[in-house]
Amino acid sequence: MPPEFLETLIAGAEALVQVQDAPELPWALAEAVHDPAYLQRWRSGDVTRAEERAMGFAWDASIARRGLLSCGATLAATRDALQGGWGLNLGGGTHHAYREHAEGFSFLNDVVIAASWARREGLAARVAVLDLDVHQGNGTASMLAGQAWALPVSLHGASNYPFVKEEAGVNVPLPDGTGDDAYLAALEDEAFPAVRAFGPDLLFVLAGADVLAGDQLGRLALTPEGVRERDRRAYALAGELRVPCVTVMAGGYHRDPQRTVEVRLSTVREWVAAAGAAAPFGGRGAPPGSVP
């Protein structure tokens, strides 16, 4: 997103919530889920052209710190959710990162890092990841495959990247051009029942803006109203299950960046409405009023 539109997003969010600077994730938390040798290669720049192509851009010295800040914000949002029911990161959602390699603009898998931290700390026993980005969260699915404590659920474009999908978890592929009604029906009929049946005590929502019609990297056709309804229903599910809910923004690449900004701010508004309306649960107190 061009810097001027990022500034617009932050300014719009500041009108709704208290925006905080992202804390930097300790390397040890990244090493707890990613291969340390892989991390060291990207820290030092000892990567191949093939690895850069898979990532989507060339290595530079800022990649590691940007990844740590993004993951630190998701971890802070997870702490907020566990304390007050709701947490939000204005970035994050780097769901293409695998344990030992980078893909699709994703170096560190922030949601897996935060979910694994919560489990190790005894703060969550069963974690569901509701991935509503237009692209399957292949890295997340791979890293959580075979983990009985975690369930990745992905509602994505069947023809979108990644072209070879992971099979772990619950996958709901949608045809090109899927609009509001069909998308919301799949959400209610396939994705939500899987989350309910799993019975999580912590829920991550990847609220991708790239499901919007006209997105350069997406093939679905939701309207802004459809995306808003998607978010409202996802937060209603969290309220129904009475579980802490962490939102990260994931992808958004509209031809007109202002459209992506508007959809992201719509997500923030729905998050604020859900957090403000929810009764405290699980002894965690009132919803927080901050966004890391």
Side-chain angles (χ1 to χ4, degrees):
M1 182 180 292
E4 63 270 23
F5 289 98
L6 182 59
E7 292 171 4
T8 301
L9 172 62
I10 293 172
E14 286 177 330
L16 299 166
V17 292
Q18 178 187 348
V19 178
Q20 302 173 1
D21 290 338
E24 193 167 309
L25 185 83
W27 271 112
L29 294 186
E31 291 172 342
V33 301
H34 286 285
D35 175 39
Y38 154 68
L39 296 179
Q40 182 56 37
R41 289 202 313 277
W42 279 91
R43 291 176 73 178
S44 65
D46 184 22
V47 297
T48 66
R49 292 293 298 276
E51 288 177 305
E52 290 178 323
R53 285 194 296 271
M55 167 68 103
F57 47 78
W59 180 89
D60 70 61
S62 69
I63 286 176
R65 185 165 188 271
R66 291 204 311 269
L68 292 176
L69 289 172
S70 177
C71 291
T74 297
L75 183 63
T78 303
R79 292 180 187 272
D80 279 349
L82 290 167
Q83 292 171 1
W86 301 87
L88 173 64
N89 178 4
L90 286 176
T94 45
H95 58 167
H96 299 306
Y98 280 71
R99 180 180 182 274
E100 74 297 323
H101 72 268
E103 278 192 20
F105 314 139
S106 300
F107 166 48
L108 301 174
N109 196 306
D110 61 316
V111 167
V112 174
I113 288 171
S116 299
W117 167 83
R119 180 174 181 268
R120 289 195 309 274
E121 293 295 315
L123 300 172
R126 296 175 69 79
V127 181
V129 179
L130 181 59
D131 193 332
L132 304 179
D133 190 270
V134 79
H135 307 100
Q136 188 207 37
N138 54 340
T140 301
S142 173
M143 293 178 76
L144 296 180
Q147 303 294 325
W149 60 271
L151 178 71
V153 178
S154 180
L155 188 69
H156 54 262
S159 300
N160 274 111
Y161 171 91
F163 303 112
V164 177
K165 308 291 194 290
E166 296 288 344
E167 296 183 0
V170 175
N171 291 286
V172 184
L174 301 171
D176 290 0
T178 295
D180 294 352
D181 291 345
Y183 184 96
L184 294 171
L187 193 67
E188 293 281 1
D189 297 342
E190 299 184 65
F192 285 0
V195 175
R196 290 189 183 100
F198 181 69
D201 52 15
L202 176 61
L203 175 66
F204 287 85
V205 175
L206 281 75
D210 46 10
V211 296
L212 190 66
D215 189 274
Q216 296 179 91
L217 300 184
R219 297 184 178 183
L220 302 186
L222 272 68
T223 66
E225 293 74 21
V227 180
R228 185 181 308 115
E229 181 63 14
R230 174 203 71 177
D231 295 339
R232 188 194 68 77
R233 295 189 189 192
Y235 297 144
L237 175 68
E240 170 197 326
L241 298 176
R242 299 177 68 80
V243 295
C245 179
V246 184
T247 296
V248 296
M249 290 297 190
Y253 318 93
H254 201 278
R255 295 179 180 87
D256 177 1
Q258 183 60 34
R259 298 291 299 280
T260 298
V261 169
E262 291 167 357
V263 166
R264 294 216 187 284
L265 290 177
S266 171
T267 296
V268 176
R269 292 187 191 97
E270 291 302 321
W271 181 89
V272 169
F281 52 85
R284 296 183 176 88
S290 63
V291 180

